[in-house]
Amino acid sequence: MAKNPVFLYRMLTLAEGWSFVLLLVFGSGLSRVSEIDLVMPLGSLHGALFVLLVGSTLLIRRRLGWGFGTTLLALVCSVVPLAPFWFHHRKREEFLAAERGAAQPA
């Protein structure tokens, strides 16, 4: 299951979304109300996950049969806060079906 590219993409979508939430809540919030500054480490983590997500979206789109519109929607959702969760929820059945199809022996 862990080597399934659709599963990895699905988990990357969630990880990138959570990293953005952590950056906004803990990074920005804590730096304003305390001496704790987590913006740099959380920002670096989020930036790396964002770059991976954009690259993965461009690689996985063919496997999932996405056209230009769906690919563009996935890329836009990677920029908007909380949108990766919405996109993941919207495409969940498609992701799970693709995972099951990849897991079936040929």
Side-chain angles (χ1 to χ4, degrees), residues 33-94:
V33 297
S34 72
E35 296 296 318
I36 301 172
D37 187 12
L38 295 175
V39 173
M40 185 60 147
L42 290 176
S44 297
L45 173 67
H46 173 67
L49 288 172
F50 173 76
V51 170
L52 284 172
L53 182 60
V54 169
S56 297
T57 299
L58 297 175
L59 292 173
I60 200 85
R61 69 187 187 91
R62 282 206 177 119
R63 179 180 292 263
L64 295 173
W66 289 351
F68 177 77
T70 303
T71 304
L72 183 63
L73 178 63
L75 293 172
V76 167
C77 284
S78 67
V79 176
V80 178
L82 303 179
F85 301 116
W86 173 83
F87 185 77
H88 181 271
H89 178 73
R90 182 172 184 243
K91 293 290 187 178
R92 185 174 187 274
E93 291 304 318
E94 180 181 341

